[in-house]
């Protein structure tokens, strides 16, 4: 009996991997961290003719076993100026976990994102501990699991709910701030409510800064600096608070009219 053909043949060429690392580093990832992702089998290089792609493996279940063959891959064409993701093979999950350095921390958090790039950006932002994502910066968090769910079916999500409930984990929704992302977030929040699983959303920071995704937020932090961007965020929150006060005052005025 012969083994099934792989969904996607990854490139073993060191030059191809070097270009993938350059892409990850351009997205703000430390070279050592990029190499670790590759060692864990969470990222690779794939060629389609002359075009090189970053490849992220997808797995069936919530737990990624390096010995388990991936069911599919999500790939990003490095020749394109804008990220264009495609899937090869069956739908599945991409995930990785991060343990905090807090002594005595005991809380497990699952963070749902659309793409691996979003998950990696969230990880980098949370590690700054500057207040951009307070829900992911608390000293009670022992482990954070970042799960990219953009290419999953309902059966995969059912496994996520079951696992989160078994782990007594809280869920953080971090989908894109666009129509599709809002629909995904609303669907996940409704299902979590049915399962009595606590949830929080971190997408509000994107809308305040007029950004669509966390990859953009991470690159903006790198470009402008965390302190300057936090000042912008504080001003945006204050402006929103004042607008809300004006709306409430207008409603009260109408009620007296």
């Amino acid at each position: 009996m012969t083994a099934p053909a792989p969904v996607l043949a990854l490139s073993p060429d060191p030059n191809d991997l070097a270009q993938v690392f350059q892409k990850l580093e351009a997205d703000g990832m430390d070279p050592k961290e990029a190499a670790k992702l590759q060692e864990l089998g969470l990222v690779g290089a794939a060629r389609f003719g002359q075009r090189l792609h970053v490849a992220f493996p997808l797995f069936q279940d919530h737990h990624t076993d390096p010995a388990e063959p991936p069911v599919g891959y999500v790939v990003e064409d490095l020749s394109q100026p804008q990220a264009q993701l495609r899937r090869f093979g069956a739908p599945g999950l991409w995930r990785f976990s991060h343990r905090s350095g807090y002594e005595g921390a005991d809380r497990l958090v699952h963070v749902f994102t659309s793409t691996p790039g979003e998950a990696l950006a969230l990880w980098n932002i949370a590690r700054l501990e500057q207040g951009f994502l307070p829900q992911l910066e608390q000293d009670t968090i022992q482990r954070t699991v970042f799960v990219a769910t953009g290419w999953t079916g309902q059966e995969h999500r059912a496994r996520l709910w079951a696992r989160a409930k078994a782990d007594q984990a809280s869920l953080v929704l971090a989908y894109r701030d666009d129509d599709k992302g809002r629909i995904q977030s609303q669907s996940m929040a409704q299902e979590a409510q049915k399962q009595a699983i606590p949830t929080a959303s971190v997408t509000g920071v994107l809308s305040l800064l007029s950004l669509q995704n966390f990859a953009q937020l991470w690159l903006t932090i790198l470009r402008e600096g965390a302190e300057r961007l936090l000042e912008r965020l504080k001003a945006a929150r204050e402006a929103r608070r004042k607008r809300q006060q004006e709306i409430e005052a207008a409603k009260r005025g109408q009620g007296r009219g």
Side-chain angles (χ1 to χ4, degrees):
M1 182 175 180
T2 59
V7 175
L8 188 66
L10 297 183
S11 171
D13 189 333
N15 292 327
D16 289 347
L17 286 173
Q19 290 184 59
V20 166
F21 291 164
Q22 287 174 9
K23 158 65 178 172
L24 295 175
E25 291 163 25
D27 290 341
M29 176 162 285
D30 182 272
K32 291 182 180 178
E33 294 163 354
K36 186 175 181 180
L37 284 177
Q38 193 269 331
E39 290 172 5
L40 293 173
L42 296 177
V43 68
R47 277 205 172 273
F48 298 89
Q50 296 299 313
R51 300 172 76 167
L52 182 63
H53 293 65
V54 181
F56 298 96
L58 302 176
F59 295 85
Q60 283 283 2
D61 215 334
H62 176 67
H63 291 285
T64 302
D65 182 354
E68 176 189 358
V71 298
Y73 283 87
V74 173
V75 301
E76 179 181 348
D77 189 346
L78 289 182
S79 68
Q80 300 298 317
Q82 299 293 329
Q84 297 182 7
L85 300 177
R86 292 186 295 164
R87 191 190 80 218
F88 289 84
L93 301 165
W94 184 90
R95 53 89 70 182
F96 77 99
S97 64
H98 172 69
R99 290 194 175 274
S100 76
Y102 295 118
E103 185 177 350
D106 59 1
R107 184 166 155 240
L108 176 63
V109 178
H110 294 175
V111 184
F112 290 158
T113 73
S114 297
T115 70
E118 294 282 279
L120 293 172
L122 279 160
W123 175 49
N124 280 314
I125 297 167
R127 290 194 305 157
L128 288 179
E129 297 182 9
Q130 293 290 313
F132 288 102
L133 304 172
Q135 298 92 333
L136 298 179
E137 300 171 18
Q138 299 167 19
D139 58 10
T140 56
I141 297 177
Q142 178 193 45
R143 186 162 65 96
T144 307
V145 182
F146 296 89
V147 185
T149 63
W151 306 275
T152 65
Q154 185 57 41
E155 70 277 10
H156 297 97
R157 295 192 181 192
R159 293 173 188 159
L160 286 173
W161 299 126
R163 188 68 201 182
K165 205 162 188 177
D167 291 342
Q168 296 184 329
S170 58
L171 309 181
V172 172
L173 306 178
Y175 291 101
R176 295 168 64 96
D177 188 32
D178 56 20
D179 291 341
K180 185 176 180 179
R182 284 187 284 271
I183 290 172
Q184 286 180 308
S185 187
Q186 183 179 22
S187 173
M188 296 288 274
Q190 290 173 346
E191 184 60 31
Q193 186 176 17
K194 293 178 184 177
Q195 300 285 345
I197 300 173
T199 64
S201 174
V202 295
T203 309
V205 67
L206 296 177
S207 60
L208 285 170
L209 294 171
S210 300
L211 301 171
Q212 282 199 330
N213 59 65
F214 289 96
Q216 291 178 355
L217 175 56
W218 175 234
L219 291 176
T220 304
I221 291 172
L222 293 177
R223 184 173 61 250
E224 296 188 16
E227 185 175 344
R228 181 177 177 183
L229 196 59
L230 281 170
E231 291 176 357
R232 280 180 51 192
L233 186 59
K234 182 179 178 180
R237 284 172 173 156
E238 180 62 19
R240 184 175 65 176
R241 186 186 67 81
K242 289 182 178 180
R243 285 197 301 270
Q244 188 61 37
Q245 289 178 338
E246 291 170 356
I247 292 171
E248 292 174 357
K251 287 181 179 178
R252 288 194 296 269
Q254 291 175 354
R256 291 193 296 267

